[in-house]
Amino acid sequence: MIDGLMKDVIDPVWEAMARPLVRARLTPNQVTALGLALIVLVSTLYLWHGSHWVYGLTLAVAFVFDALDGAVARQRGMSSRLGGYFDAMVDRYQELIVLAAIAWVTGLWALALLAFSGAMLTSYAKARAAIETPVSNTDWPDLFERLERIVYLCVLLVLAGLVPWAWLLPAGLAVYAALCHLTALQRARRAARILRAADRDGPRH
């Protein structure tokens, strides 16, 4: 939702931050792969140091770097369907790594599973609709998309590490999971509306 509603504000920031990577001649896929490597690195360090606020801050830096692959692709004229697919797959693995790391450190495996499944269903709801009929990749301004999930998790981790409230992280993960599943249902509702319209236009081939 943030990315869709504030695209004109956010995109110039990504473009400016991506220029050093363009000058370094990195390809979009290399930026995507490096973003994944950074997520793995900071998550592995989190298993060692166990500090929620340190993980939240380093995770924010890693996710900012990861977000630059699209800007690099545009500036270098290297946008491709394969690159988009690779980026989407890496995004899913990043969320798995982050939530698994949180579960490992805190023992909140059930909440992490609920959170991850909600995030995956949010993605699948649109992807599955696109298999049935062509859909726009941008006109889905839903409640809790990936950017919102990233910001939420980073802020939650920082707060959980700074305030003496043991309930904050599990409660925050529960809210995260609920918002993910609510967004998945929101997307499913929109997909149903699109598919009904497609069915009225003609039979499936």
Side-chain angles (χ1 to χ4, degrees):
M1 185 168 64
I2 294 174
D3 197 32
L5 297 176
M6 300 182 63
K7 189 175 181 62
D8 292 341
V9 176
I10 295 173
D11 279 358
V13 176
W14 296 145
E15 298 291 335
M17 294 178 68
R19 289 188 190 110
L21 303 179
V22 173
R23 288 195 291 269
R25 307 300 296 171
L26 289 176
T27 68
N29 285 349
Q30 287 172 338
V31 175
T32 301
L34 286 171
L36 176 60
L38 281 175
I39 297 295
V40 171
L41 175 62
V42 300
S43 298
T44 302
L45 291 173
Y46 176 49
L47 302 184
W48 170 66
H49 60 67
S51 172
H52 302 321
W53 73 268
V54 171
Y55 187 43
L57 290 177
T58 56
L59 200 57
V61 173
F63 274 126
V64 165
F65 183 90
D66 175 70
L68 301 179
D69 51 4
V72 170
R74 289 189 293 273
Q75 291 184 35
R76 296 200 60 187
M78 298 178 70
S79 298
S80 68
R81 292 182 179 87
L82 178 58
Y85 178 81
F86 178 57
D87 181 50
M89 290 295 291
V90 167
D91 287 348
R92 305 292 82 77
Y93 274 107
Q94 287 176 346
E95 291 190 77
L96 173 61
I97 290 165
V98 170
L99 288 167
I102 292 172
W104 186 279
V105 170
T106 64
L108 300 171
W109 288 99
L111 286 174
L113 175 60
L114 282 173
F116 181 67
S117 62
M120 293 306 100
L121 285 168
T122 296
S123 177
Y124 183 75
K126 181 167 69 172
R128 189 64 182 84
I131 293 174
E132 299 294 338
T133 189
V135 298
S136 169
N137 195 42
T138 56
D139 296 333
W140 295 69
D142 298 300
L143 177 66
F144 208 53
E145 297 180 292
R146 186 169 183 269
L147 181 56
E148 286 85 354
R149 296 198 299 269
I150 289 170
V151 172
Y152 181 100
L153 268 185
C154 291
V155 172
L156 175 62
L157 285 162
V158 171
L159 289 177
L162 294 179
V163 300
W165 301 334
W167 54 265
L168 181 60
L169 190 55
L173 272 182
V175 172
Y176 179 99
L179 289 172
C180 283
H181 284 281
L182 181 61
T183 303
L185 292 174
Q186 181 186 19
R187 284 193 165 183
R189 182 182 178 186
R190 181 183 293 109
R193 186 170 63 248
I194 292 171
L195 295 174
R196 285 195 197 98
D199 285 337
R200 286 195 296 269
D201 290 340
R204 179 179 176 181
H205 298 291

